[in-house]
Amino acid sequence: MAEGMTGLVHKYLRHEKKFPHIWCPGCGNGIVLGSLIRAIDRIGLDKDKVALVSGIGCSGRMTTYADFNTLHTPHGRALTYATGLKLSREDLTVIVIMGDGDATAIGGNHYIHAARRNVDMTAIIVNNQVYGMTGGQYSPTTPYGARTTTTPYGMVEHAFDISALAVAAAASYVARCTVYHAALLDQLIEAAIRKRGFSSVEVLSNCHTQFGRRNKMASPVKMLEWFKENAVRMHATSKMKPEEMEGKFIIGVLADSERPSYNEEYERVRERAMGNGNVPKPPARCEG
């Protein structure tokens, strides 16, 4: 196993970059990156046919370390760059890495509409419940009552449910996991990449440096234990009473449906427009 993982590291990481990485010791970003390269390797994708796009934040550094076609974009705009890329290069497998602040604050509207349009790409959102890189300010996913540098007496807002947002926006595939459940995370990311259409994988990750130490979980082990104790597999929820689910969250596949991707719909319109005048007429204009 060690040789296998070492082999993947040499195959998929850029050795000319500075290592060790900049992430704090014990950070969950390394687990997410490991799951991502294992999933890509199992699918057998050509590295030159993979485009990894990231936004700003700790997770955004993955595009520095991973040896694919990579794009590091402005804060909150990763999905817009990825959408343009996918529309112009249909042959590429486009994967977008974002943090919770990047995806649901500055980039929140892009996240909703990329899911609604069903653009053929995979979004992986590393949710550490805080702005870790910029000093530990609260983010849209900071839990109610939690302490951050900007909520020293407790968060008064309720957290965004990232995955519920994607389900409501009709994404083709939506899953949630944690960095504690690494084997399951491998499977979910692989399924998301294989899915045609917009797929979203939310990964609860530990930021013990900025979030944990202000919320009685100062070590990565403490935070992983919290994930272990509070995550419930989807198949187990049917056997649990509502009161047993209180304070818990579900991991696994939350939505999986089939509908044409934006790329397929666009290509159909394009073919009609280039045909023998077989273009649908626009709706009649409403005269006032």
Side-chain angles (χ1 to χ4, degrees):
M1 180 64 186
E3 288 183 0
M5 192 59 210
T6 301
L8 291 184
V9 167
H10 285 275
K11 182 177 179 181
Y12 292 105
L13 299 187
R14 289 173 170 151
H15 307 293
E16 72 276 15
K17 300 295 180 185
K18 288 185 178 179
F19 282 94
H21 50 70
I22 67 164
W23 296 321
C24 300
C27 176
N29 275 316
I31 298 174
V32 179
L33 180 57
S35 282
L36 176 62
I37 64 175
R38 284 192 294 271
I40 288 173
D41 190 71
R42 276 204 299 272
I43 297 170
L45 295 174
D46 181 346
K47 287 198 299 184
D48 292 334
K49 293 295 184 182
V50 174
L52 190 63
V53 183
S54 71
I56 299 299
C58 298
S59 61
R61 295 292 294 181
M62 289 190 200
T63 50
T64 301
Y65 305 132
D67 188 20
F68 304 111
N69 300 291
T70 55
L71 191 60
H72 195 185
T73 70
H75 207 181
R77 304 294 178 254
L79 284 170
T80 62
Y81 281 80
T83 297
L85 178 61
K86 186 62 184 179
L87 291 181
S88 62
R89 288 291 304 271
E90 171 69 18
D91 59 313
L92 295 178
T93 297
V94 178
I95 302 168
V96 188
I97 302 288
M98 299 171 285
D100 47 293
D102 195 44
T104 61
I106 299 172
N109 218 25
H110 302 310
Y111 181 62
I112 294 169
H113 292 289
R116 177 183 64 83
R117 291 177 182 129
N118 205 30
V119 181
D120 187 21
M121 64 173 73
T122 298
I124 299 174
I125 299 114
V126 183
N127 179 8
N128 61 11
Q129 304 174 309
V130 74
Y131 282 97
M133 180 175 276
T134 56
Q137 301 89 347
Y138 75 82
S139 81
T141 61
T142 299
Y144 178 80
R147 296 176 186 271
T148 69
T149 55
T150 47
T151 58
Y153 301 103
M155 180 68 166
V156 297
E157 302 171 11
H158 291 271
F160 242 150
D161 186 331
I162 294 176
S163 293
L165 196 62
V167 173
S172 286
Y173 180 90
V174 182
R176 182 192 292 124
C177 199
T178 84
V179 290
Y180 173 81
H181 304 83
L184 176 62
L185 182 59
D186 289 9
Q187 299 169 18
L188 296 176
I189 290 178
E190 179 182 346
I193 295 172
R194 290 184 183 277
K195 187 71 181 183
R196 188 76 175 170
F198 188 84
S199 56
S200 172
V201 180
E202 175 190 2
V203 189
L204 272 293
S205 182
N206 56 297
C207 181
H208 46 282
T209 304
Q210 296 289 9
F211 182 85
R213 68 190 176 94
R214 294 185 174 86
N215 293 280
K216 301 180 181 178
M217 295 181 287
S219 75
V221 173
K222 281 285 185 185
M223 294 204 73
L224 292 176
E225 286 176 344
W226 189 89
F227 293 144
K228 176 185 176 183
E229 293 165 1
N230 290 281
V232 179
R233 298 284 186 106
M234 174 61 86
H235 61 79
T237 58
S238 60
K239 301 175 184 175
M240 296 178 68
K241 299 176 181 176
E243 55 269 28
E244 292 176 314
M245 282 297 297
E246 192 170 339
K248 309 287 186 184
F249 60 92
I250 300 171
I251 59 173
V253 179
L254 307 179
D256 189 355
S257 61
E258 299 291 340
R259 67 183 174 102
S261 69
Y262 182 91
N263 309 69
E264 292 167 329
E265 296 281 17
Y266 185 82
E267 188 58 30
R268 288 173 189 166
V269 169
R270 187 169 175 272
E271 288 177 0
R272 286 200 297 268
M274 295 177 67
N276 299 320
N278 187 24
V279 182
K281 294 181 179 178
R285 185 176 177 180
C286 180
E287 301 292 347

PDB file of all heavy atoms in Angstrom, residues 118 163 166-168 170-176 187-188 190-200 234 252-259:
ATOM      1  N   ASN A 118     -26.396  22.620 -15.067  1.00  0.00           N
ATOM      2  CA  ASN A 118     -25.902  21.245 -15.223  1.00  0.00           C
ATOM      3  C   ASN A 118     -24.667  21.200 -16.129  1.00  0.00           C
ATOM      4  O   ASN A 118     -24.543  20.329 -17.003  1.00  0.00           O
ATOM      5  CB  ASN A 118     -26.993  20.318 -15.750  1.00  0.00           C
ATOM      6  CG  ASN A 118     -26.759  18.868 -15.370  1.00  0.00           C
ATOM      7  OD1 ASN A 118     -26.164  18.574 -14.336  1.00  0.00           O
ATOM      8  ND2 ASN A 118     -27.212  17.965 -16.211  1.00  0.00           N
ATOM      9  N   SER A 163     -24.687  21.204   0.451  1.00  0.00           N
ATOM     10  CA  SER A 163     -25.216  20.111  -0.376  1.00  0.00           C
ATOM     11  C   SER A 163     -26.712  20.278  -0.634  1.00  0.00           C
ATOM     12  O   SER A 163     -27.185  19.974  -1.742  1.00  0.00           O
ATOM     13  CB  SER A 163     -24.930  18.766   0.306  1.00  0.00           C
ATOM     14  OG  SER A 163     -23.544  18.510   0.328  1.00  0.00           O
ATOM     15  N   ALA A 166     -27.138  22.526  -3.521  1.00  0.00           N
ATOM     16  CA  ALA A 166     -26.899  21.880  -4.817  1.00  0.00           C
ATOM     17  C   ALA A 166     -28.075  21.001  -5.221  1.00  0.00           C
ATOM     18  O   ALA A 166     -28.448  20.950  -6.397  1.00  0.00           O
ATOM     19  CB  ALA A 166     -25.612  21.050  -4.761  1.00  0.00           C
ATOM     20  N   VAL A 167     -28.673  20.294  -4.258  1.00  0.00           N
ATOM     21  CA  VAL A 167     -29.849  19.462  -4.553  1.00  0.00           C
ATOM     22  C   VAL A 167     -31.001  20.346  -5.035  1.00  0.00           C
ATOM     23  O   VAL A 167     -31.664  20.038  -6.043  1.00  0.00           O
ATOM     24  CB  VAL A 167     -30.270  18.664  -3.304  1.00  0.00           C
ATOM     25  CG1 VAL A 167     -31.601  17.938  -3.558  1.00  0.00           C
ATOM     26  CG2 VAL A 167     -29.194  17.651  -2.919  1.00  0.00           C
ATOM     27  N   ALA A 168     -31.233  21.466  -4.338  1.00  0.00           N
ATOM     28  CA  ALA A 168     -32.328  22.364  -4.718  1.00  0.00           C
ATOM     29  C   ALA A 168     -32.102  22.974  -6.096  1.00  0.00           C
ATOM     30  O   ALA A 168     -33.061  23.268  -6.813  1.00  0.00           O
ATOM     31  CB  ALA A 168     -32.462  23.471  -3.668  1.00  0.00           C
ATOM     32  N   ALA A 170     -30.821  21.422  -8.519  1.00  0.00           N
ATOM     33  CA  ALA A 170     -30.962  20.315  -9.501  1.00  0.00           C
ATOM     34  C   ALA A 170     -29.635  19.833 -10.066  1.00  0.00           C
ATOM     35  O   ALA A 170     -29.559  19.449 -11.243  1.00  0.00           O
ATOM     36  CB  ALA A 170     -31.924  20.686 -10.605  1.00  0.00           C
ATOM     37  N   ALA A 171     -28.581  19.851  -9.274  1.00  0.00           N
ATOM     38  CA  ALA A 171     -27.325  19.236  -9.711  1.00  0.00           C
ATOM     39  C   ALA A 171     -27.555  17.749  -9.951  1.00  0.00           C
ATOM     40  O   ALA A 171     -28.351  17.110  -9.257  1.00  0.00           O
ATOM     41  CB  ALA A 171     -26.251  19.430  -8.641  1.00  0.00           C
ATOM     42  N   SER A 172     -26.844  17.179 -10.924  1.00  0.00           N
ATOM     43  CA  SER A 172     -27.066  15.769 -11.268  1.00  0.00           C
ATOM     44  C   SER A 172     -26.586  14.815 -10.183  1.00  0.00           C
ATOM     45  O   SER A 172     -27.140  13.725 -10.015  1.00  0.00           O
ATOM     46  CB  SER A 172     -26.348  15.434 -12.584  1.00  0.00           C
ATOM     47  OG  SER A 172     -27.031  15.995 -13.671  1.00  0.00           O
ATOM     48  N   TYR A 173     -25.545  15.218  -9.476  1.00  0.00           N
ATOM     49  CA  TYR A 173     -24.980  14.319  -8.451  1.00  0.00           C
ATOM     50  C   TYR A 173     -24.512  15.175  -7.278  1.00  0.00           C
ATOM     51  O   TYR A 173     -23.769  16.148  -7.462  1.00  0.00           O
ATOM     52  CB  TYR A 173     -23.800  13.541  -9.031  1.00  0.00           C
ATOM     53  CG  TYR A 173     -23.117  12.580  -8.077  1.00  0.00           C
ATOM     54  CD1 TYR A 173     -23.533  11.256  -7.973  1.00  0.00           C
ATOM     55  CD2 TYR A 173     -22.051  13.000  -7.293  1.00  0.00           C
ATOM     56  CE1 TYR A 173     -22.909  10.370  -7.104  1.00  0.00           C
ATOM     57  CE2 TYR A 173     -21.419  12.121  -6.421  1.00  0.00           C
ATOM     58  CZ  TYR A 173     -21.851  10.801  -6.341  1.00  0.00           C
ATOM     59  OH  TYR A 173     -21.220   9.929  -5.478  1.00  0.00           O
ATOM     60  N   VAL A 174     -24.963  14.810  -6.074  1.00  0.00           N
ATOM     61  CA  VAL A 174     -24.580  15.554  -4.870  1.00  0.00           C
ATOM     62  C   VAL A 174     -24.195  14.557  -3.787  1.00  0.00           C
ATOM     63  O   VAL A 174     -24.949  13.613  -3.506  1.00  0.00           O
ATOM     64  CB  VAL A 174     -25.734  16.449  -4.358  1.00  0.00           C
ATOM     65  CG1 VAL A 174     -25.279  17.248  -3.127  1.00  0.00           C
ATOM     66  CG2 VAL A 174     -26.233  17.386  -5.450  1.00  0.00           C
ATOM     67  N   ALA A 175     -23.030  14.757  -3.193  1.00  0.00           N
ATOM     68  CA  ALA A 175     -22.576  13.866  -2.127  1.00  0.00           C
ATOM     69  C   ALA A 175     -21.885  14.682  -1.044  1.00  0.00           C
ATOM     70  O   ALA A 175     -21.396  15.784  -1.290  1.00  0.00           O
ATOM     71  CB  ALA A 175     -21.622  12.812  -2.684  1.00  0.00           C
ATOM     72  N   ARG A 176     -21.880  14.108   0.152  1.00  0.00           N
ATOM     73  CA  ARG A 176     -21.182  14.749   1.281  1.00  0.00           C
ATOM     74  C   ARG A 176     -20.354  13.690   1.993  1.00  0.00           C
ATOM     75  O   ARG A 176     -20.775  12.521   2.104  1.00  0.00           O
ATOM     76  CB  ARG A 176     -22.174  15.385   2.246  1.00  0.00           C
ATOM     77  CG  ARG A 176     -21.487  16.115   3.412  1.00  0.00           C
ATOM     78  CD  ARG A 176     -22.456  16.484   4.522  1.00  0.00           C
ATOM     79  NE  ARG A 176     -23.411  17.504   4.125  1.00  0.00           N
ATOM     80  CZ  ARG A 176     -24.735  17.360   4.201  1.00  0.00           C
ATOM     81  NH1 ARG A 176     -25.239  16.221   4.638  1.00  0.00           N
ATOM     82  NH2 ARG A 176     -25.546  18.327   3.838  1.00  0.00           N
ATOM     83  N   GLN A 187     -14.486   6.897  -3.102  1.00  0.00           N
ATOM     84  CA  GLN A 187     -15.584   6.387  -3.930  1.00  0.00           C
ATOM     85  C   GLN A 187     -16.488   7.512  -4.430  1.00  0.00           C
ATOM     86  O   GLN A 187     -16.907   7.524  -5.598  1.00  0.00           O
ATOM     87  CB  GLN A 187     -16.420   5.390  -3.124  1.00  0.00           C
ATOM     88  CG  GLN A 187     -15.662   4.155  -2.650  1.00  0.00           C
ATOM     89  CD  GLN A 187     -16.454   3.337  -1.638  1.00  0.00           C
ATOM     90  OE1 GLN A 187     -17.664   3.475  -1.526  1.00  0.00           O
ATOM     91  NE2 GLN A 187     -15.775   2.494  -0.888  1.00  0.00           N
ATOM     92  N   LEU A 188     -16.794   8.459  -3.548  1.00  0.00           N
ATOM     93  CA  LEU A 188     -17.708   9.540  -3.920  1.00  0.00           C
ATOM     94  C   LEU A 188     -17.092  10.453  -4.975  1.00  0.00           C
ATOM     95  O   LEU A 188     -17.772  10.895  -5.909  1.00  0.00           O
ATOM     96  CB  LEU A 188     -18.104  10.339  -2.671  1.00  0.00           C
ATOM     97  CG  LEU A 188     -18.894   9.563  -1.612  1.00  0.00           C
ATOM     98  CD1 LEU A 188     -19.127  10.450  -0.391  1.00  0.00           C
ATOM     99  CD2 LEU A 188     -20.230   9.076  -2.177  1.00  0.00           C
ATOM    100  N   GLU A 190     -14.767   9.611  -7.120  1.00  0.00           N
ATOM    101  CA  GLU A 190     -14.720   8.850  -8.379  1.00  0.00           C
ATOM    102  C   GLU A 190     -16.077   8.864  -9.074  1.00  0.00           C
ATOM    103  O   GLU A 190     -16.164   9.110 -10.286  1.00  0.00           O
ATOM    104  CB  GLU A 190     -14.292   7.405  -8.102  1.00  0.00           C
ATOM    105  CG  GLU A 190     -14.242   6.561  -9.373  1.00  0.00           C
ATOM    106  CD  GLU A 190     -13.861   5.112  -9.106  1.00  0.00           C
ATOM    107  OE1 GLU A 190     -13.373   4.810  -8.002  1.00  0.00           O
ATOM    108  OE2 GLU A 190     -14.050   4.287 -10.021  1.00  0.00           O
ATOM    109  N   ALA A 191     -17.141   8.619  -8.311  1.00  0.00           N
ATOM    110  CA  ALA A 191     -18.488   8.620  -8.906  1.00  0.00           C
ATOM    111  C   ALA A 191     -18.849  10.002  -9.442  1.00  0.00           C
ATOM    112  O   ALA A 191     -19.485  10.120 -10.506  1.00  0.00           O
ATOM    113  CB  ALA A 191     -19.511   8.174  -7.864  1.00  0.00           C
ATOM    114  N   ALA A 192     -18.433  11.037  -8.733  1.00  0.00           N
ATOM    115  CA  ALA A 192     -18.734  12.406  -9.172  1.00  0.00           C
ATOM    116  C   ALA A 192     -18.033  12.723 -10.484  1.00  0.00           C
ATOM    117  O   ALA A 192     -18.613  13.344 -11.385  1.00  0.00           O
ATOM    118  CB  ALA A 192     -18.312  13.396  -8.087  1.00  0.00           C
ATOM    119  N   ILE A 193     -16.783  12.305 -10.614  1.00  0.00           N
ATOM    120  CA  ILE A 193     -16.040  12.579 -11.858  1.00  0.00           C
ATOM    121  C   ILE A 193     -16.647  11.797 -13.016  1.00  0.00           C
ATOM    122  O   ILE A 193     -16.726  12.288 -14.147  1.00  0.00           O
ATOM    123  CB  ILE A 193     -14.553  12.223 -11.675  1.00  0.00           C
ATOM    124  CG1 ILE A 193     -13.910  13.147 -10.637  1.00  0.00           C
ATOM    125  CG2 ILE A 193     -13.802  12.346 -13.000  1.00  0.00           C
ATOM    126  CD1 ILE A 193     -12.490  12.753 -10.243  1.00  0.00           C
ATOM    127  N   ARG A 194     -17.081  10.591 -12.749  1.00  0.00           N
ATOM    128  CA  ARG A 194     -17.685   9.773 -13.817  1.00  0.00           C
ATOM    129  C   ARG A 194     -19.049  10.306 -14.250  1.00  0.00           C
ATOM    130  O   ARG A 194     -19.514  10.024 -15.353  1.00  0.00           O
ATOM    131  CB  ARG A 194     -17.848   8.329 -13.331  1.00  0.00           C
ATOM    132  CG  ARG A 194     -16.541   7.565 -13.154  1.00  0.00           C
ATOM    133  CD  ARG A 194     -16.836   6.126 -12.769  1.00  0.00           C
ATOM    134  NE  ARG A 194     -15.631   5.347 -12.507  1.00  0.00           N
ATOM    135  CZ  ARG A 194     -14.887   4.761 -13.450  1.00  0.00           C
ATOM    136  NH1 ARG A 194     -15.254   4.862 -14.726  1.00  0.00           N
ATOM    137  NH2 ARG A 194     -13.814   4.074 -13.141  1.00  0.00           N
ATOM    138  N   LYS A 195     -19.719  11.062 -13.405  1.00  0.00           N
ATOM    139  CA  LYS A 195     -21.078  11.520 -13.677  1.00  0.00           C
ATOM    140  C   LYS A 195     -21.107  12.540 -14.799  1.00  0.00           C
ATOM    141  O   LYS A 195     -20.296  13.464 -14.848  1.00  0.00           O
ATOM    142  CB  LYS A 195     -21.671  12.153 -12.414  1.00  0.00           C
ATOM    143  CG  LYS A 195     -23.140  12.504 -12.525  1.00  0.00           C
ATOM    144  CD  LYS A 195     -23.987  11.261 -12.550  1.00  0.00           C
ATOM    145  CE  LYS A 195     -25.461  11.585 -12.696  1.00  0.00           C
ATOM    146  NZ  LYS A 195     -26.278  10.348 -12.646  1.00  0.00           N
ATOM    147  N   ARG A 196     -22.052  12.401 -15.702  1.00  0.00           N
ATOM    148  CA  ARG A 196     -22.265  13.377 -16.762  1.00  0.00           C
ATOM    149  C   ARG A 196     -23.167  14.481 -16.219  1.00  0.00           C
ATOM    150  O   ARG A 196     -24.256  14.212 -15.737  1.00  0.00           O
ATOM    151  CB  ARG A 196     -22.922  12.698 -17.959  1.00  0.00           C
ATOM    152  CG  ARG A 196     -23.025  13.565 -19.194  1.00  0.00           C
ATOM    153  CD  ARG A 196     -21.700  13.679 -19.894  1.00  0.00           C
ATOM    154  NE  ARG A 196     -21.842  14.418 -21.154  1.00  0.00           N
ATOM    155  CZ  ARG A 196     -20.814  14.835 -21.870  1.00  0.00           C
ATOM    156  NH1 ARG A 196     -19.573  14.600 -21.462  1.00  0.00           N
ATOM    157  NH2 ARG A 196     -20.997  15.490 -23.004  1.00  0.00           N
ATOM    158  N   GLY A 197     -22.709  15.725 -16.284  1.00  0.00           N
ATOM    159  CA  GLY A 197     -23.474  16.832 -15.719  1.00  0.00           C
ATOM    160  C   GLY A 197     -22.740  17.412 -14.522  1.00  0.00           C
ATOM    161  O   GLY A 197     -21.592  17.064 -14.251  1.00  0.00           O
ATOM    162  N   PHE A 198     -23.417  18.294 -13.794  1.00  0.00           N
ATOM    163  CA  PHE A 198     -22.768  18.950 -12.659  1.00  0.00           C
ATOM    164  C   PHE A 198     -22.820  18.051 -11.430  1.00  0.00           C
ATOM    165  O   PHE A 198     -23.887  17.617 -10.997  1.00  0.00           O
ATOM    166  CB  PHE A 198     -23.469  20.277 -12.342  1.00  0.00           C
ATOM    167  CG  PHE A 198     -22.750  21.102 -11.309  1.00  0.00           C
ATOM    168  CD1 PHE A 198     -21.703  21.944 -11.678  1.00  0.00           C
ATOM    169  CD2 PHE A 198     -23.107  21.033  -9.971  1.00  0.00           C
ATOM    170  CE1 PHE A 198     -21.027  22.713 -10.734  1.00  0.00           C
ATOM    171  CE2 PHE A 198     -22.446  21.796  -9.018  1.00  0.00           C
ATOM    172  CZ  PHE A 198     -21.402  22.630  -9.401  1.00  0.00           C
ATOM    173  N   SER A 199     -21.658  17.779 -10.867  1.00  0.00           N
ATOM    174  CA  SER A 199     -21.590  16.977  -9.652  1.00  0.00           C
ATOM    175  C   SER A 199     -20.900  17.781  -8.566  1.00  0.00           C
ATOM    176  O   SER A 199     -19.977  18.550  -8.834  1.00  0.00           O
ATOM    177  CB  SER A 199     -20.846  15.664  -9.916  1.00  0.00           C
ATOM    178  OG  SER A 199     -19.557  15.908 -10.439  1.00  0.00           O
ATOM    179  N   SER A 200     -21.368  17.591  -7.340  1.00  0.00           N
ATOM    180  CA  SER A 200     -20.836  18.346  -6.207  1.00  0.00           C
ATOM    181  C   SER A 200     -20.511  17.387  -5.068  1.00  0.00           C
ATOM    182  O   SER A 200     -21.349  16.560  -4.692  1.00  0.00           O
ATOM    183  CB  SER A 200     -21.879  19.378  -5.740  1.00  0.00           C
ATOM    184  OG  SER A 200     -21.471  20.005  -4.537  1.00  0.00           O
ATOM    185  N   MET A 234     -25.834   7.449   4.937  1.00  0.00           N
ATOM    186  CA  MET A 234     -27.190   7.589   4.401  1.00  0.00           C
ATOM    187  C   MET A 234     -28.051   6.357   4.684  1.00  0.00           C
ATOM    188  O   MET A 234     -29.217   6.475   5.105  1.00  0.00           O
ATOM    189  CB  MET A 234     -27.116   7.842   2.886  1.00  0.00           C
ATOM    190  CG  MET A 234     -28.453   7.875   2.175  1.00  0.00           C
ATOM    191  SD  MET A 234     -29.536   9.177   2.783  1.00  0.00           S
ATOM    192  CE  MET A 234     -28.966  10.543   1.770  1.00  0.00           C
ATOM    193  N   GLY A 252     -22.677  10.536   2.326  1.00  0.00           N
ATOM    194  CA  GLY A 252     -23.008   9.586   1.268  1.00  0.00           C
ATOM    195  C   GLY A 252     -23.580  10.327   0.064  1.00  0.00           C
ATOM    196  O   GLY A 252     -23.408  11.536  -0.076  1.00  0.00           O
ATOM    197  N   VAL A 253     -24.277   9.584  -0.794  1.00  0.00           N
ATOM    198  CA  VAL A 253     -24.881  10.177  -1.988  1.00  0.00           C
ATOM    199  C   VAL A 253     -26.233  10.768  -1.606  1.00  0.00           C
ATOM    200  O   VAL A 253     -27.121  10.066  -1.153  1.00  0.00           O
ATOM    201  CB  VAL A 253     -25.044   9.131  -3.103  1.00  0.00           C
ATOM    202  CG1 VAL A 253     -25.691   9.762  -4.328  1.00  0.00           C
ATOM    203  CG2 VAL A 253     -23.690   8.515  -3.466  1.00  0.00           C
ATOM    204  N   LEU A 254     -26.401  12.068  -1.802  1.00  0.00           N
ATOM    205  CA  LEU A 254     -27.627  12.759  -1.418  1.00  0.00           C
ATOM    206  C   LEU A 254     -28.571  12.947  -2.604  1.00  0.00           C
ATOM    207  O   LEU A 254     -29.769  13.131  -2.418  1.00  0.00           O
ATOM    208  CB  LEU A 254     -27.289  14.124  -0.803  1.00  0.00           C
ATOM    209  CG  LEU A 254     -26.282  14.111   0.358  1.00  0.00           C
ATOM    210  CD1 LEU A 254     -26.027  15.523   0.865  1.00  0.00           C
ATOM    211  CD2 LEU A 254     -26.761  13.213   1.497  1.00  0.00           C
ATOM    212  N   ALA A 255     -28.036  12.936  -3.809  1.00  0.00           N
ATOM    213  CA  ALA A 255     -28.868  13.066  -5.019  1.00  0.00           C
ATOM    214  C   ALA A 255     -28.104  12.484  -6.193  1.00  0.00           C
ATOM    215  O   ALA A 255     -26.882  12.644  -6.290  1.00  0.00           O
ATOM    216  CB  ALA A 255     -29.210  14.534  -5.288  1.00  0.00           C
ATOM    217  N   ASP A 256     -28.844  11.790  -7.068  1.00  0.00           N
ATOM    218  CA  ASP A 256     -28.221  11.202  -8.256  1.00  0.00           C
ATOM    219  C   ASP A 256     -29.303  11.060  -9.316  1.00  0.00           C
ATOM    220  O   ASP A 256     -30.214  10.244  -9.168  1.00  0.00           O
ATOM    221  CB  ASP A 256     -27.609   9.839  -7.926  1.00  0.00           C
ATOM    222  CG  ASP A 256     -26.762   9.285  -9.065  1.00  0.00           C
ATOM    223  OD1 ASP A 256     -26.736   9.908 -10.141  1.00  0.00           O
ATOM    224  OD2 ASP A 256     -26.134   8.229  -8.876  1.00  0.00           O
ATOM    225  N   SER A 257     -29.251  11.888 -10.340  1.00  0.00           N
ATOM    226  CA  SER A 257     -30.302  11.878 -11.358  1.00  0.00           C
ATOM    227  C   SER A 257     -29.681  12.031 -12.741  1.00  0.00           C
ATOM    228  O   SER A 257     -28.502  12.361 -12.875  1.00  0.00           O
ATOM    229  CB  SER A 257     -31.294  13.023 -11.104  1.00  0.00           C
ATOM    230  OG  SER A 257     -30.628  14.275 -11.175  1.00  0.00           O
ATOM    231  N   GLU A 258     -30.490  11.782 -13.745  1.00  0.00           N
ATOM    232  CA  GLU A 258     -30.014  11.875 -15.123  1.00  0.00           C
ATOM    233  C   GLU A 258     -30.787  12.963 -15.859  1.00  0.00           C
ATOM    234  O   GLU A 258     -32.017  12.981 -15.854  1.00  0.00           O
ATOM    235  CB  GLU A 258     -30.227  10.531 -15.851  1.00  0.00           C
ATOM    236  CG  GLU A 258     -29.490   9.354 -15.234  1.00  0.00           C
ATOM    237  CD  GLU A 258     -27.983   9.449 -15.401  1.00  0.00           C
ATOM    238  OE1 GLU A 258     -27.531  10.193 -16.298  1.00  0.00           O
ATOM    239  OE2 GLU A 258     -27.256   8.786 -14.635  1.00  0.00           O
ATOM    240  N   ARG A 259     -30.091  13.870 -16.445  1.00  0.00           N
ATOM    241  CA  ARG A 259     -30.671  14.840 -17.371  1.00  0.00           C
ATOM    242  C   ARG A 259     -29.555  15.370 -18.255  1.00  0.00           C
ATOM    243  O   ARG A 259     -28.374  15.321 -17.861  1.00  0.00           O
ATOM    244  CB  ARG A 259     -31.405  15.976 -16.647  1.00  0.00           C
ATOM    245  CG  ARG A 259     -30.546  16.919 -15.824  1.00  0.00           C
ATOM    246  CD  ARG A 259     -31.444  17.926 -15.111  1.00  0.00           C
ATOM    247  NE  ARG A 259     -30.698  18.782 -14.197  1.00  0.00           N
ATOM    248  CZ  ARG A 259     -30.346  20.034 -14.479  1.00  0.00           C
ATOM    249  NH1 ARG A 259     -30.673  20.567 -15.644  1.00  0.00           N
ATOM    250  NH2 ARG A 259     -29.682  20.753 -13.588  1.00  0.00           N
TER     251      ARG A 259
END
